[in-house]
Amino acid sequence: MSREGLAHAVERMRDRGMGPEAITVFEHYYTQLEDGAQGTIPEDSIEPLRDIQALGEVEVSDDDARRALGQTAVIKLNGGLGTSMGMSGAKSALEVKDGLTFLDIIAQQVLALREQWDVELPLILMNSFRTSAQSLEILAKYPSLPVDGLPLDFLQSAEPKLRADDLSPVDWPRDPELEWCPPGHGDIYVSLVTSGVLEALLERGIRYAFISNSDNLGATCDPDVAAWMVEHELPYVAEVCTRTKSDRKGGHLAVRKSDGRLILRDTAMVAEGEERFFADINRHHTFHANNIWIDLTVLRERMAAHEGVLGLPIIVNRKTVDPADHTSPEVVQLESAMGAAIEVFEGSEALLVPRTRFRPVKTTNDLLVVRSDYFVLDEGHRLVAVGEGPEPFVDLDSAYRLVDGFEKRFPHGVPSMVECTSLRVIGDPVFGRNVRCIGDVLVDGLRRVHDNAVLDGSVLGAAVTGRSGATEPRRERADIRTVDQHLRTILSSMEPGATESVPLTEALGLVVARDIRSRVNLPAFDNSSMDGYAVQAASLEGAEDVPVRLRIVGEVAAGASPSFSVGPGEAARIMTGAPVPPGADAVIAVEDTDGAATGSVECRASVTRGRYVRPQGEDVSEGAVIVAAGDVVGPRTIALLAACGHATVEVHRRPHVVVLSTGAELVPPGEPLGPGQIHDSNSSMLWAAATAAGASAEIRAAVGDTDAELLAVLDEVVAGADVVITSGGVSMGAYDVVKSALAGKGVEFVKVAMQPGKPQGFGHLSGPDGRRVPLFALPGNPVSSFVSFEVFVRPALRRLMRLTPERRRVRTATLTSGLHSFEGRRQYGRAVVSRNSEGALLCTPVAGQGSHFVADLSRANALFVVPEDVVDLVAGELVDVIILDA
Ligand code: AMP
Ligand code: MG
């Protein structure tokens, strides 16, 4: 604390051009702070406020109302920055309702009152140096708003933020504007004088000012209050509302015992240990709405009498110099509350007003309710509740706290809240269009709230993989199948194929049909795991201390069958895998000997019994099950089967797939193209996809677009095929040969609610021996063809082969860009899925999402899946992905 600090601060204010009154007030505050003023109001110094006049009981004639309104100006406290909601500009520039900002609505409220009452009713903003330009730009849309001789705004003064440690003005060269702060809305009295607005208003015959916060849309200039004030010649009126349990914070009015005056006690003014009195809503049953009415002639008088210093109690606000940077230096901001002036005006009154006059938007929870259909703007642009119940309680998770996060998660507007009593959101789902909340709603762990969802009670994340738990009003169209319906039809008709015994080299990837037992022991006999000497362990006791010589009695190579045995003091040379001769019970490694081939061998280590001996049956005993039914044959299974003596294995058959493209324009790759021709890529792709899925496959030469040609080829193909896949010719075109040739002949052509791949054909051809051969008629566009294979054919082939799971695993990844999808169709987009540095999956859709982009298809490594009822996804949202080729 220092005189120097004050002198320094005052100098800065002068340099900035602050008027003498503002400086005097600052000095006054500074001295209070230096004197250790706490600004507390002890409970025993006050009486609760009783018998408050209710606005509803005020009776006013229209003439009185008009006369009073004709002498009134509307002043809005508009210095708020909305930093707590993550905004950087004026808070009142936020779109709050029906696409209008607070300021738009305020302007239109004033214009409507002017028209209704035929009064002048000036509107003036008290801006801070940060909100002025932006706010005036919005008001510029209303050319009739300015009143002759009056400005649309005046600036509240600025004061230096003080270092918390020594109360000197803080330096913050990184952003010098942050060295300054507005001195709270109590500054309005000084600023009205220094700006000349007070004089200008009085000159125009405006005697009263209605002052309220610009974020409180309920604070309209009510003519009844004005008239009541005029009638009773009141110098100052403060609006109060009945407190509910959720209004434990904020200030309240009380009567000061010492002089009987009304005073305002804010949260910051509660004496230590007296919080319970403050919170007691029966004791202090109203709160201060910060809507005040002032007789400007009285104000002028008071200001003159006190040399511009009303002497309001200070509020000491502690922050960091950069509020967004909590590591920046701590500062003290000296502020005062506008409503504290009530004690300065003798004869001031409180007025009990309905709760609707206090509807501030302090948080995005408030924003949701105000934006929702629970409120409408009436013809006077007043905010009117249309919901019948009490205002819904909203509690959104932290992801929605800042406006940016809020807007991103409600890209199509907020849910309907008319029938809602409370909405709690845990997690950070994006809300779709036309969501309705009914009753008490808890949304927990959902990734997304779907379009048209009706949230009724708790909606928990368990249901997230398919749909939200919300009911879905949309009906399926009769001629359209869902992806799941079509797949179910296909899979349920996949008759189990025969099993057959195949050579090991043809079994790779197939499912074993029956348990297989070993025909042998593994190892088949005791054998050595080392090159060395077979010995009796007892012969080498103590050899690590005193080397022992053993007589070499023979040699055993792998594949030999020794006819001798090994006794005490004897050794037989032995190779890895060779049978251990009778009598020997251990092997000493050649490294622990002198390695002699004949005569005797010097051994320098002892061995335990069984050392380096692989006993018979240790791995597999004869007759044991080595491979179970259902196992998939891989390289290691094949090793085991072979080791146990099996040359063949009984498996579920590998289906043979015949691929047949249709289209007169198709030319095989490698051949030159004539006019209008393209290379047939689907045949190769479908062959590869079928092969990769485990089937065997063959490509038939593409056929042109005539029924006869196609039917002839199919007739021939069906004899050798387990599955036929055609591509092309299934849509609505004139030459859609597959459809025209096969419709009604066991193949059904349907529309599936997916994108790409809407036209699909599926059915069965009859083989010569009465076999039913499944036929997939896939669309011709390469991407459609590929996606159709993935979604329908691959699971079907896996079912035929008994491979599980039939469908690929679905994972979730974070979208790196937003996207748009078709309503009512499940979209399978192409994407590159990668991992970020934390290992989380990211999904980046490829540029070309059209169904003819073969290069982008090849670039992709995954499909992302957008559900039928989702139309838009935003960057940062989770999306289902299917990793291909995994
Ligand atoms: P379609 O389904 O027969 O009307 O074919 C749709 C689109 O896919 C057309 O642009 C065809 O040229 C193309 N298309 C059809 N079959 C193939 C194929 N086998 N290879 C590459 N493109 C094809
Ligand atoms: Mg075609």
Side-chain angles (χ1 to χ4, degrees), residues 846-878:
V846 299
Q849 292 289 336
S851 34
H852 59 292
F853 287 113
V854 189
D856 276 322
L857 172 64
S858 111
R859 228 165 268 143
N861 65 356
L863 297 177
F864 61 83
V865 188
V866 185
E868 291 78 347
D869 49 358
V870 174
V871 183
D872 293 297
L873 287 168
V874 297
E877 254 194 282
L878 289 177

mmCIF file of all heavy atoms in Angstrom, residues 846-878:
data_model
loop_
_atom_site.group_PDB
_atom_site.id
_atom_site.type_symbol
_atom_site.label_atom_id
_atom_site.label_comp_id
_atom_site.label_asym_id
_atom_site.label_seq_id
_atom_site.Cartn_x
_atom_site.Cartn_y
_atom_site.Cartn_z
ATOM 1 N N VAL A 846 -12.172 -38.612 -47.251
ATOM 2 C CA VAL A 846 -11.436 -38.265 -48.467
ATOM 3 C C VAL A 846 -12.227 -37.216 -49.227
ATOM 4 O O VAL A 846 -13.430 -37.047 -49.028
ATOM 5 C CB VAL A 846 -11.179 -39.500 -49.362
ATOM 6 C CG1 VAL A 846 -10.349 -40.532 -48.636
ATOM 7 C CG2 VAL A 846 -12.499 -40.098 -49.837
ATOM 8 N N ALA A 847 -11.526 -36.508 -50.103
ATOM 9 C CA ALA A 847 -12.156 -35.371 -50.780
ATOM 10 C C ALA A 847 -13.325 -35.813 -51.647
ATOM 11 O O ALA A 847 -14.414 -35.255 -51.595
ATOM 12 C CB ALA A 847 -11.111 -34.644 -51.602
ATOM 13 N N GLY A 848 -13.096 -36.844 -52.471
ATOM 14 C CA GLY A 848 -14.133 -37.241 -53.420
ATOM 15 C C GLY A 848 -15.056 -38.273 -52.819
ATOM 16 O O GLY A 848 -14.690 -39.425 -52.671
ATOM 17 N N GLN A 849 -16.266 -37.841 -52.449
ATOM 18 C CA GLN A 849 -17.211 -38.793 -51.875
ATOM 19 C C GLN A 849 -18.208 -39.305 -52.924
ATOM 20 O O GLN A 849 -19.109 -40.067 -52.615
ATOM 21 C CB GLN A 849 -17.953 -38.166 -50.682
ATOM 22 C CG GLN A 849 -17.056 -37.890 -49.459
ATOM 23 C CD GLN A 849 -16.599 -39.156 -48.738
ATOM 24 O OE1 GLN A 849 -17.244 -40.195 -48.818
ATOM 25 N NE2 GLN A 849 -15.471 -39.092 -48.045
ATOM 26 N N GLY A 850 -18.028 -38.889 -54.191
ATOM 27 C CA GLY A 850 -18.907 -39.385 -55.238
ATOM 28 C C GLY A 850 -18.608 -40.849 -55.540
ATOM 29 O O GLY A 850 -17.490 -41.315 -55.314
ATOM 30 N N SER A 851 -19.609 -41.573 -56.066
ATOM 31 C CA SER A 851 -19.405 -43.017 -56.188
ATOM 32 C C SER A 851 -18.587 -43.411 -57.413
ATOM 33 O O SER A 851 -18.434 -44.580 -57.718
ATOM 34 C CB SER A 851 -20.728 -43.767 -56.143
ATOM 35 O OG SER A 851 -21.730 -43.038 -56.727
ATOM 36 N N HIS A 852 -18.019 -42.425 -58.120
ATOM 37 C CA HIS A 852 -17.147 -42.766 -59.243
ATOM 38 C C HIS A 852 -15.678 -42.507 -58.942
ATOM 39 O O HIS A 852 -14.829 -42.694 -59.796
ATOM 40 C CB HIS A 852 -17.574 -41.964 -60.480
ATOM 41 C CG HIS A 852 -17.526 -40.469 -60.261
ATOM 42 N ND1 HIS A 852 -18.386 -39.830 -59.416
ATOM 43 C CD2 HIS A 852 -16.702 -39.531 -60.777
ATOM 44 C CE1 HIS A 852 -18.100 -38.526 -59.418
ATOM 45 N NE2 HIS A 852 -17.077 -38.324 -60.228
ATOM 46 N N PHE A 853 -15.351 -42.048 -57.718
ATOM 47 C CA PHE A 853 -13.960 -41.691 -57.407
ATOM 48 C C PHE A 853 -13.144 -42.914 -56.994
ATOM 49 O O PHE A 853 -13.086 -43.275 -55.835
ATOM 50 C CB PHE A 853 -13.912 -40.638 -56.298
ATOM 51 C CG PHE A 853 -14.330 -39.264 -56.761
ATOM 52 C CD1 PHE A 853 -15.488 -38.680 -56.282
ATOM 53 C CD2 PHE A 853 -13.560 -38.563 -57.679
ATOM 54 C CE1 PHE A 853 -15.868 -37.416 -56.702
ATOM 55 C CE2 PHE A 853 -13.946 -37.297 -58.102
ATOM 56 C CZ PHE A 853 -15.099 -36.722 -57.616
ATOM 57 N N VAL A 854 -12.499 -43.524 -57.968
ATOM 58 C CA VAL A 854 -11.735 -44.744 -57.698
ATOM 59 C C VAL A 854 -10.433 -44.433 -56.968
ATOM 60 O O VAL A 854 -10.003 -45.171 -56.086
ATOM 61 C CB VAL A 854 -11.420 -45.471 -59.017
ATOM 62 C CG1 VAL A 854 -10.822 -46.836 -58.748
ATOM 63 C CG2 VAL A 854 -12.683 -45.628 -59.840
ATOM 64 N N ALA A 855 -9.810 -43.297 -57.317
ATOM 65 C CA ALA A 855 -8.531 -42.963 -56.680
ATOM 66 C C ALA A 855 -8.750 -42.651 -55.208
ATOM 67 O O ALA A 855 -8.005 -43.105 -54.342
ATOM 68 C CB ALA A 855 -7.874 -41.789 -57.393
ATOM 69 N N ASP A 856 -9.786 -41.866 -54.910
ATOM 70 C CA ASP A 856 -10.053 -41.549 -53.508
ATOM 71 C C ASP A 856 -10.461 -42.803 -52.739
ATOM 72 O O ASP A 856 -10.143 -42.950 -51.564
ATOM 73 C CB ASP A 856 -11.129 -40.462 -53.394
ATOM 74 C CG ASP A 856 -10.514 -39.064 -53.538
ATOM 75 O OD1 ASP A 856 -9.394 -38.878 -53.019
ATOM 76 O OD2 ASP A 856 -11.133 -38.192 -54.157
ATOM 77 N N LEU A 857 -11.151 -43.698 -53.439
ATOM 78 C CA LEU A 857 -11.501 -44.968 -52.793
ATOM 79 C C LEU A 857 -10.223 -45.724 -52.421
ATOM 80 O O LEU A 857 -10.094 -46.252 -51.315
ATOM 81 C CB LEU A 857 -12.359 -45.817 -53.741
ATOM 82 C CG LEU A 857 -12.641 -47.257 -53.297
ATOM 83 C CD1 LEU A 857 -13.470 -47.279 -52.021
ATOM 84 C CD2 LEU A 857 -13.359 -48.035 -54.408
ATOM 85 N N SER A 858 -9.277 -45.713 -53.315
ATOM 86 C CA SER A 858 -8.062 -46.479 -53.054
ATOM 87 C C SER A 858 -7.207 -45.821 -51.987
ATOM 88 O O SER A 858 -6.491 -46.485 -51.257
ATOM 89 C CB SER A 858 -7.290 -46.689 -54.359
ATOM 90 O OG SER A 858 -6.101 -45.955 -54.346
ATOM 91 N N ARG A 859 -7.311 -44.500 -51.879
ATOM 92 C CA ARG A 859 -6.576 -43.764 -50.852
ATOM 93 C C ARG A 859 -7.120 -44.046 -49.457
ATOM 94 O O ARG A 859 -6.412 -43.974 -48.476
ATOM 95 C CB ARG A 859 -6.739 -42.273 -51.145
ATOM 96 C CG ARG A 859 -5.461 -41.495 -51.123
ATOM 97 C CD ARG A 859 -5.658 -40.135 -51.782
ATOM 98 N NE ARG A 859 -5.340 -40.167 -53.194
ATOM 99 C CZ ARG A 859 -5.998 -39.499 -54.132
ATOM 100 N NH1 ARG A 859 -7.039 -38.756 -53.828
ATOM 101 N NH2 ARG A 859 -5.627 -39.590 -55.388
ATOM 102 N N ALA A 860 -8.413 -44.320 -49.389
ATOM 103 C CA ALA A 860 -9.056 -44.499 -48.081
ATOM 104 C C ALA A 860 -8.614 -45.817 -47.460
ATOM 105 O O ALA A 860 -8.265 -46.766 -48.156
ATOM 106 C CB ALA A 860 -10.574 -44.483 -48.251
ATOM 107 N N ASN A 861 -8.626 -45.848 -46.133
ATOM 108 C CA ASN A 861 -8.374 -47.112 -45.455
ATOM 109 C C ASN A 861 -9.542 -47.507 -44.562
ATOM 110 O O ASN A 861 -9.448 -48.442 -43.785
ATOM 111 C CB ASN A 861 -7.071 -47.049 -44.641
ATOM 112 C CG ASN A 861 -7.170 -46.051 -43.496
ATOM 113 O OD1 ASN A 861 -8.171 -45.358 -43.368
ATOM 114 N ND2 ASN A 861 -6.142 -45.987 -42.678
ATOM 115 N N ALA A 862 -10.609 -46.741 -44.686
ATOM 116 C CA ALA A 862 -11.738 -47.015 -43.793
ATOM 117 C C ALA A 862 -13.025 -46.482 -44.400
ATOM 118 O O ALA A 862 -13.005 -45.635 -45.298
ATOM 119 C CB ALA A 862 -11.502 -46.333 -42.443
ATOM 120 N N LEU A 863 -14.135 -47.015 -43.916
ATOM 121 C CA LEU A 863 -15.444 -46.437 -44.223
ATOM 122 C C LEU A 863 -15.940 -45.791 -42.941
ATOM 123 O O LEU A 863 -15.774 -46.363 -41.866
ATOM 124 C CB LEU A 863 -16.437 -47.524 -44.647
ATOM 125 C CG LEU A 863 -16.123 -48.296 -45.916
ATOM 126 C CD1 LEU A 863 -17.174 -49.390 -46.144
ATOM 127 C CD2 LEU A 863 -16.088 -47.353 -47.125
ATOM 128 N N PHE A 864 -16.521 -44.588 -43.045
ATOM 129 C CA PHE A 864 -17.203 -44.054 -41.867
ATOM 130 C C PHE A 864 -18.701 -44.210 -42.092
ATOM 131 O O PHE A 864 -19.176 -44.202 -43.233
ATOM 132 C CB PHE A 864 -16.816 -42.606 -41.567
ATOM 133 C CG PHE A 864 -17.145 -41.616 -42.640
ATOM 134 C CD1 PHE A 864 -18.417 -41.069 -42.730
ATOM 135 C CD2 PHE A 864 -16.189 -41.220 -43.561
ATOM 136 C CE1 PHE A 864 -18.739 -40.147 -43.722
ATOM 137 C CE2 PHE A 864 -16.492 -40.300 -44.553
ATOM 138 C CZ PHE A 864 -17.762 -39.776 -44.644
ATOM 139 N N VAL A 865 -19.419 -44.409 -41.024
ATOM 140 C CA VAL A 865 -20.831 -44.739 -41.137
ATOM 141 C C VAL A 865 -21.656 -43.659 -40.449
ATOM 142 O O VAL A 865 -21.505 -43.416 -39.253
ATOM 143 C CB VAL A 865 -21.136 -46.097 -40.490
ATOM 144 C CG1 VAL A 865 -22.563 -46.515 -40.794
ATOM 145 C CG2 VAL A 865 -20.141 -47.144 -40.961
ATOM 146 N N VAL A 866 -22.493 -42.981 -41.225
ATOM 147 C CA VAL A 866 -23.374 -41.973 -40.651
ATOM 148 C C VAL A 866 -24.786 -42.563 -40.603
ATOM 149 O O VAL A 866 -25.336 -42.954 -41.640
ATOM 150 C CB VAL A 866 -23.391 -40.685 -41.509
ATOM 151 C CG1 VAL A 866 -24.210 -39.603 -40.831
ATOM 152 C CG2 VAL A 866 -21.966 -40.201 -41.740
ATOM 153 N N PRO A 867 -25.366 -42.647 -39.424
ATOM 154 C CA PRO A 867 -26.679 -43.282 -39.297
ATOM 155 C C PRO A 867 -27.749 -42.574 -40.135
ATOM 156 O O PRO A 867 -27.602 -41.405 -40.492
ATOM 157 C CB PRO A 867 -27.010 -43.153 -37.808
ATOM 158 C CG PRO A 867 -25.725 -42.861 -37.129
ATOM 159 C CD PRO A 867 -24.840 -42.195 -38.136
ATOM 160 N N GLU A 868 -28.826 -43.304 -40.377
ATOM 161 C CA GLU A 868 -29.914 -42.827 -41.228
ATOM 162 C C GLU A 868 -30.485 -41.490 -40.764
ATOM 163 O O GLU A 868 -30.851 -40.642 -41.559
ATOM 164 C CB GLU A 868 -31.061 -43.844 -41.229
ATOM 165 C CG GLU A 868 -30.766 -45.141 -41.934
ATOM 166 C CD GLU A 868 -29.919 -46.119 -41.137
ATOM 167 O OE1 GLU A 868 -29.336 -45.730 -40.103
ATOM 168 O OE2 GLU A 868 -29.823 -47.283 -41.549
ATOM 169 N N ASP A 869 -30.584 -41.330 -39.448
ATOM 170 C CA ASP A 869 -31.290 -40.146 -38.951
ATOM 171 C C ASP A 869 -30.349 -39.001 -38.614
ATOM 172 O O ASP A 869 -30.723 -38.066 -37.942
ATOM 173 C CB ASP A 869 -32.135 -40.514 -37.728
ATOM 174 C CG ASP A 869 -31.328 -41.298 -36.715
ATOM 175 O OD1 ASP A 869 -30.152 -41.571 -37.014
ATOM 176 O OD2 ASP A 869 -31.861 -41.628 -35.654
ATOM 177 N N VAL A 870 -29.121 -39.093 -39.096
ATOM 178 C CA VAL A 870 -28.187 -37.992 -38.854
ATOM 179 C C VAL A 870 -27.888 -37.335 -40.191
ATOM 180 O O VAL A 870 -27.583 -38.008 -41.168
ATOM 181 C CB VAL A 870 -26.884 -38.512 -38.216
ATOM 182 C CG1 VAL A 870 -25.865 -37.394 -38.104
ATOM 183 C CG2 VAL A 870 -27.187 -39.114 -36.855
ATOM 184 N N VAL A 871 -28.015 -36.027 -40.208
ATOM 185 C CA VAL A 871 -27.831 -35.315 -41.463
ATOM 186 C C VAL A 871 -26.503 -34.560 -41.479
ATOM 187 O O VAL A 871 -25.825 -34.499 -42.480
ATOM 188 C CB VAL A 871 -29.000 -34.343 -41.701
ATOM 189 C CG1 VAL A 871 -28.842 -33.652 -43.035
ATOM 190 C CG2 VAL A 871 -30.302 -35.100 -41.646
ATOM 191 N N ASP A 872 -26.149 -34.013 -40.326
ATOM 192 C CA ASP A 872 -24.912 -33.250 -40.264
ATOM 193 C C ASP A 872 -24.045 -33.750 -39.130
ATOM 194 O O ASP A 872 -24.551 -34.067 -38.060
ATOM 195 C CB ASP A 872 -25.197 -31.765 -39.992
ATOM 196 C CG ASP A 872 -25.910 -31.126 -41.142
ATOM 197 O OD1 ASP A 872 -25.318 -31.072 -42.225
ATOM 198 O OD2 ASP A 872 -27.065 -30.715 -40.958
ATOM 199 N N LEU A 873 -22.770 -33.811 -39.395
ATOM 200 C CA LEU A 873 -21.823 -34.076 -38.321
ATOM 201 C C LEU A 873 -20.834 -32.924 -38.338
ATOM 202 O O LEU A 873 -20.492 -32.412 -39.398
ATOM 203 C CB LEU A 873 -21.091 -35.396 -38.550
ATOM 204 C CG LEU A 873 -21.919 -36.666 -38.320
ATOM 205 C CD1 LEU A 873 -21.195 -37.879 -38.842
ATOM 206 C CD2 LEU A 873 -22.235 -36.840 -36.850
ATOM 207 N N VAL A 874 -20.396 -32.514 -37.164
ATOM 208 C CA VAL A 874 -19.460 -31.399 -37.115
ATOM 209 C C VAL A 874 -18.079 -31.923 -36.746
ATOM 210 O O VAL A 874 -17.950 -32.996 -36.178
ATOM 211 C CB VAL A 874 -19.905 -30.321 -36.101
ATOM 212 C CG1 VAL A 874 -21.220 -29.723 -36.515
ATOM 213 C CG2 VAL A 874 -19.994 -30.896 -34.700
ATOM 214 N N ALA A 875 -17.067 -31.139 -37.093
ATOM 215 C CA ALA A 875 -15.696 -31.516 -36.739
ATOM 216 C C ALA A 875 -15.615 -31.692 -35.232
ATOM 217 O O ALA A 875 -16.216 -30.939 -34.483
ATOM 218 C CB ALA A 875 -14.732 -30.431 -37.192
ATOM 219 N N GLY A 876 -14.894 -32.731 -34.828
ATOM 220 C CA GLY A 876 -14.754 -32.985 -33.397
ATOM 221 C C GLY A 876 -15.741 -34.012 -32.880
ATOM 222 O O GLY A 876 -15.578 -34.547 -31.794
ATOM 223 N N GLU A 877 -16.771 -34.303 -33.676
ATOM 224 C CA GLU A 877 -17.726 -35.316 -33.258
ATOM 225 C C GLU A 877 -17.173 -36.713 -33.491
ATOM 226 O O GLU A 877 -16.329 -36.918 -34.358
ATOM 227 C CB GLU A 877 -18.996 -35.175 -34.104
ATOM 228 C CG GLU A 877 -20.126 -34.577 -33.334
ATOM 229 C CD GLU A 877 -21.441 -34.755 -34.061
ATOM 230 O OE1 GLU A 877 -21.692 -33.994 -35.009
ATOM 231 O OE2 GLU A 877 -22.198 -35.648 -33.680
ATOM 232 N N LEU A 878 -17.704 -37.652 -32.756
ATOM 233 C CA LEU A 878 -17.295 -39.033 -32.979
ATOM 234 C C LEU A 878 -18.151 -39.643 -34.075
ATOM 235 O O LEU A 878 -19.337 -39.346 -34.191
ATOM 236 C CB LEU A 878 -17.477 -39.841 -31.694
ATOM 237 C CG LEU A 878 -16.487 -39.522 -30.575
ATOM 238 C CD1 LEU A 878 -16.804 -40.331 -29.338
ATOM 239 C CD2 LEU A 878 -15.062 -39.810 -31.029
#
